[in-house]
Amino acid sequence: MTKPYVFITRKLPEDVVAPLLAIAEVEMWPHEDMAVPRDVLVEKAKRATAILPMVSDPIDEDVLSAGSALRVVANMGVGYDNIDVAAATHRGILVCNTPDVLTDTTADLTFALLLATARRLVEAAMFLKEGKWKSWSPFLLAGADVHHKTIGIVGMGNIGQAVAKRAKGFDMNILYYNRSRRPEAEEKLGAVYRPFADLLAESDFVVCLTPLTSETRHLFNREAFRQMKKSAIFINAARGAVADEQALYEALVGGEIAAAGLDVFEHEPVAADHPLVSLPNVVALPHIGSATYETRRAMMTLARDNIIAVLEGRPPLTPVNRIS
């Protein structure tokens, strides 16, 4: 009997993949840091029963329709805006993600990005490494306090609530905006719901953690940035396309907001000469929100286990869609 064929779009550790080998033929794109070319992905999909993609791999109609055997796409990431879920559902293909295992790690990075931006840590480190430190002065590389300030969290899911827990430790005033109220966050964390415009106007730090959907695309537009304080700092650790990058650039250059910390961009990867990356009041990171050894291995393992479950005729552990 022919084993099902599984295609993995990056090279993963052998011990992670080993349990799959007992029940499937597995092929991995042989590079850890190079995206699989689109034509290769479509070609592999023609015979695949399962695909394990990264969050940057577009799994669209062309990929989903390439072959008739595809049963499951197990994304290595909590976000799945790279997958056409509606098209997958129509074709009877399960889509899975890796929630929960990266919540605290991503919250750590988000708050670290907030601190680094507020206190100008990257700029200060480069100042020293470039030999510019000649003397001490009262306002040398002075940044902004974080403690006792107001943080406005847009997207109060698991990661948003984990960031709020960290903000509570800094004695911050916690505001949030979400599609639906979060009574548990209000009770346990003292978070206060605000309409979007009010949150923007009141917050010293505006932290974007909302998923990318048709409703949230460019949620942070020209009008949104104009509603913020001139001293406000914008942090985006969700998806790049939630913010209009041109509007953000103009807000930063025009002094409408003070600074930005970005772990995500609309089109990734970005070059060093990207307009936002080149600004001195921007701390830019290469989408490393979940990038610890422990968490990335947990994500790989969960994606793998979702595939094993489906191939063995069991329900997936963390499905995004339902197939009737």
Side-chain angles (χ1 to χ4, degrees), residues 145-209:
D145 278 333
V146 173
H147 61 84
H148 295 95
K149 293 290 185 69
T150 296
I151 183 172
I153 300 172
V154 179
M156 201 58 149
N158 290 341
I159 297 172
Q161 292 184 47
V163 169
K165 285 175 60 178
R166 287 148 179 78
K168 191 174 177 67
F170 280 73
D171 293 315
M172 299 184 82
N173 177 36
I174 303 167
L175 307 180
Y176 79 97
Y177 171 75
N178 200 68
R179 183 173 55 183
S180 57
R181 295 285 289 266
R182 296 290 189 179
E184 69 278 17
E186 296 176 14
E187 180 180 350
K188 294 180 181 179
L189 301 169
V192 178
Y193 177 83
R194 285 284 191 272
F196 185 58
D198 293 349
L199 178 145
L200 297 179
E202 296 178 36
S203 299
D204 299 299
F205 298 91
V206 177
V207 179
C208 174
L209 290 166

Side-chain angles (χ1 to χ4, degrees), residues 35 51 78 118 127 145 149 158 224 268 291:
I51 298 175
V78 65
F127 184 86
D145 278 333
K149 293 290 185 69
N158 290 341
E268 298 176 351

Side-chain angles (χ1 to χ4, degrees), residues 3 6 64 71 98 111 113 130 135 161 189 196 199 204-205 212 247 249 256 258 262 278 287 289 298 311-312 315 323:
K3 286 184 175 181
V6 178
L64 296 169
R71 293 171 56 194
T98 58
F111 209 83
L113 183 55
E130 292 170 357
S135 178
Q161 292 184 47
L189 301 169
F196 185 58
L199 178 145
D204 299 299
F205 298 91
L212 175 62
Y249 177 84
E256 293 174 3
L262 308 173
S278 64
H287 203 151
L311 296 186
E312 291 182 341
I323 304 301

